[in-house]
Amino acid sequence: MKLLKIALLQIKPCGTLKANLKKGIKYCEAAKEKGADIALFPEMWSNGYNIYNRPISDWTAEAISADSNFVNEFGNLAKALNMAICITLLEQYENSPRNTCILFDRFGSKKLTYAKVHTCDFDIERNLTAGADFCVTTLDTECGNVKVGAMICYDREFPESARILMLKGAELILTPNACPMEINRLSQLRTRAYENMLAIATCNYPDTVPDCNGGSNVFDGVAYLPGLPNSRDTCILQADGREGIYIAELNLNQLREYRKHEVHGNAYRHPQKYQILTDTSIDEPFIRSDYRK
């Protein structure tokens, strides 16, 4: 099996849906020219995550259907390029929009639709509808099948997100992002990959976008290799702040072999002792009193 090539499209939005579509297509085509098997966009590409310092009614009006022309154009493009594409959008949904990513396989089929579960309810995202579940799909690539799940930005802050995806079989988690990639957030991603023995690919906006700094990254989750006296760095790619396409090469065979004999992930869990994690009757202790259930 050859290496799975993941293209992180660390690009700046243009200000309109039409322009973002045009630019997104251009960069997907360029990613394919670089040999990519999967192209990943940053968070909410359809409107460039432009929801701050604006009237709520203005940005919620920019929500688009999951079956819109914008989305379907990327499905058609995935088929034309023979490359999976994970497109992101502010999705029109019932009473309030969702922060969504949709994964098309290389045949143009919609394989996964995921809405951000952990919306940032401490801020403007409280006006979004949170997703209901985490999902995993089998993605057919030229490297063979790979089990792929998704989480979006703030989902990273909750270990349950990646843990559930691992339990559902994920080998790779695609993570659209729109915030500064600083040491603590990078440490969270590194930890999620390490503790679940899976790869995490995160695509951020470049440093020309407010409150973003690039730093798109991939952690392969393989901490130990035969013949190495110590652990290895699981970061196989970290971009700088500049706009561009960043390609990571993921060794799936290495990851799968590692998962067969290492001690993390689902190997030695004691789930019967974790009931408190889903006990919603517990109100204390909380660091903040204004939390939302």
Side-chain angles (χ1 to χ4, degrees):
M1 180 184 289
K2 69 172 187 175
L3 301 178
L4 182 74
K5 290 190 175 183
I6 305 165
L8 307 179
L9 307 184
Q10 186 172 285
I11 54 179
K12 182 180 179 179
C14 304
T16 68
L17 182 69
K18 183 177 180 180
N20 286 344
L21 173 61
K22 183 178 179 181
K23 184 169 184 175
I25 290 172
K26 173 186 173 183
Y27 272 84
C28 283
E29 291 172 342
K32 179 62 180 181
E33 290 176 1
K34 293 177 180 289
D37 297 294
I38 304 172
L40 176 62
F41 280 85
E43 185 176 5
M44 211 186 286
W45 174 251
S46 67
N47 86 329
Y49 199 78
N50 185 18
I51 64 176
Y52 283 92
N53 303 314
R54 301 175 64 200
I56 295 169
S57 58
D58 285 4
W59 62 262
T60 55
E62 295 171 356
I64 60 174
S65 165
D67 196 35
S68 62
N69 178 68
F70 177 90
V71 172
N72 290 332
E73 281 288 328
F74 285 102
N76 296 335
L77 182 64
K79 182 177 181 179
L81 295 177
N82 193 41
M83 177 185 75
I85 297 175
C86 187
I87 184 61
T88 60
L89 62 146
L90 177 63
E91 182 197 358
Q92 211 171 62
Y93 188 80
E94 297 181 357
N95 297 323
S96 61
R98 302 197 303 183
N99 184 342
T100 300
C101 67
I102 295 175
L103 176 63
F104 289 100
D105 68 12
R106 64 192 178 109
F107 308 110
S109 296
K110 193 178 289 185
K111 299 296 292 182
L112 179 152
T113 299
Y114 170 70
K116 188 175 185 176
V117 168
H118 298 103
T119 50
C120 298
D121 291 346
F122 52 83
D123 211 323
I124 196 69
E125 280 195 2
R126 68 172 63 93
N127 297 287
L128 298 174
T129 297
D133 196 9
F134 296 96
C135 45
V136 172
T137 188
T138 300
L139 187 67
D140 182 322
T141 77
E142 289 189 335
C143 292
N145 290 341
V146 55
K147 292 288 188 73
V148 178
M151 58 186 185
I152 297 176
C153 200
Y154 191 50
D155 284 325
R156 164 201 63 243
E157 314 255 348
F158 299 85
E160 294 85 356
S161 306
R163 178 61 34 123
I164 290 169
L165 290 168
M166 179 274 293
L167 291 172
K168 290 186 173 184
E171 299 172 296
L172 168 64
I173 300 176
L174 301 176
T175 310
N177 192 80
C179 69
M181 281 282 94
E182 44 78 51
I183 188 170
N184 297 296
R185 292 184 176 116
L186 289 167
S187 297
Q188 287 175 325
L189 291 163
R190 183 189 298 275
T191 300
R192 301 293 166 261
Y194 170 75
E195 67 195 3
N196 291 297
M197 295 196 294
L198 46 71
I200 300 180
T202 301
C203 185
N204 197 25
Y205 287 104
D207 59 13
T208 50
V209 174
D211 202 36
C212 291
N213 65 342
S216 298
N217 54 81
V218 179
F219 295 90
D220 69 5
V222 179
Y224 310 103
L225 285 176
L228 292 183
N230 300 303
S231 63
R232 61 182 283 275
D233 188 353
T234 63
C235 183
I236 61 172
L237 181 147
Q238 184 173 342
D240 58 22
R242 294 173 294 179
E243 181 172 63
I245 300 170
Y246 296 85
I247 303 283
E249 296 186 339
L250 178 63
N251 189 330
L252 286 171
N253 284 343
Q254 177 179 274
L255 175 61
R256 288 165 179 166
E257 186 61 29
Y258 179 76
R259 295 179 104 184
K260 288 179 182 177
H261 59 78
E262 265 304 334
V263 300
H264 312 295
N266 198 30
Y268 295 101
R269 295 173 66 246
H270 290 202
Q272 67 277 11
K273 301 176 182 178
Y274 306 155
Q275 285 86 352
I276 193 171
L277 293 176
T278 56
D279 186 349
T280 58
S281 68
I282 297 174
D283 291 324
E284 299 292 343
F286 278 97
I287 296 173
R288 291 180 58 164
S289 60
D290 61 343
Y291 72 94
R292 288 180 53 177
K293 288 186 178 179

